Amino acid sequence: MKHVLVVDDDPTVSEVVAGYLERAGFAVDVAADGPTAVARAASRPPDLVVLDLMLPGMDGLEVCRRIRAAGPLPVIMLTARGDEEDRVLGLEVGADDYVTKPFSPRELVLRVESVLRRAGAATATRGATEEPWLRAGPLAVDPTGRRATRNGGELALTVREFDLLEFFIRHPGQATSREQLMQRVWGWEFGDLSTVTVHVRRLREKVEDDPAHPRLISTVWGVGYRFDPPRSTEAEVGHGR
C-alpha cells in the first residue's frame, strides 16, 4: 500500500483529499503546517506528498525544498492561486505537478496515481536487464542505473529531468511538441504544459554551456523542442562513460 502525506491547513480539504485517497487504496497521513509536514516526512517517509503552497509556520515551497533535500520524492503542489509565477515556483523547487484550487478530488487521485506510476517505472528499471549507455556529445545516460554525466561528471537530475534527457538523447534531431513530451515523458494525457517548459529550462541549466543560448536543446518556435547533438558525435549507444 502506497503512503501519501497530505499537507493542508484547511481541515475540510485535508479530510476530503484523504478520504478519496484512502478509498483509492492509499495509506494517508495528514499535516496542517509546514514544520509538522517536514517532521512527518522524516519520521515516516511517504511515497508521495500532496502539498499546499500556503501554509502556516513554513510555506509549501520551503517544505518541498526540505523534504526533497533528503532524496527524490514525488510532490504534487496545491495552490489557491492561479498565477503562473506561483505554479512555476512550485515546479522549480522540485514539484512533479500542481493542482489549482478549487479542484476535483477524483482528478487529484488520478494525478497521484500517474506520478506514482511513473516513479515506480523509474525505480523498476534499476533491476532490469542491463542496457548500454547512451551517448550524445558531452552527455551520457545509463538507462538501467538511471545515471547521467556531462563531460564525465555526474549530473544531479530529478526523476523527470532524467526521463526528459533520456527521451531527447533517444530522439536526436526530432522536433517534439510540449503536448507530445507530456504524453511520452510524463505519461499524462492532460496537464499544464508549463510543467514541460519549466523542466526543459531546468534541464538546460544542467547540460548546456550557456543555458541562455542553448545549443543542445533547441526551441523550435511554434512546435516545441529539438535535441541537437554535436555533428561530430550523433547520439550513440555504448558502454561506460
Side-chain angles (χ1 to χ4, degrees), residues 63-142:
V63 173
C64 188
R65 289 189 188 98
R66 295 196 184 192
I67 62 178
R68 289 297 299 271
L73 174 63
V75 174
I76 296 178
M77 194 79 76
L78 300 180
T79 172
R81 305 178 185 176
D83 295 342
E84 182 178 2
E85 180 180 353
D86 296 312
R87 299 196 298 267
V88 169
L89 280 174
L91 294 170
E92 288 190 335
V93 297
D96 295 87
D97 195 9
Y98 75 90
V99 176
T100 303
K101 298 178 181 179
F103 57 87
S104 162
R106 291 182 179 178
E107 178 184 343
L108 177 60
V109 171
L110 290 175
R111 297 286 186 98
V112 168
E113 292 173 338
S114 175
V115 171
L116 284 172
R117 186 165 54 248
R118 192 71 183 181
T123 301
T125 61
R126 297 189 181 99
T129 303
E130 183 177 357
E131 184 177 352
W133 283 67
L134 305 174
R135 292 178 171 279
L139 303 174
V141 167
D142 174 10

Side-chain angles (χ1 to χ4, degrees), residues 168-176 216 220 225-229 234-235:
F168 279 138
I169 291 180
R170 289 186 184 276
H171 302 85
Q174 175 180 309
T176 309
L216 294 172
V220 182
Y225 303 99
R226 185 183 63 242
F227 180 69
D228 295 313
E234 293 296 319

Side-chain angles (χ1 to χ4, degrees), residues 141-152:
V141 167
D142 174 10
T144 304
R146 293 188 66 81
R147 299 167 58 206
T149 64
R150 179 177 180 270
N151 293 323

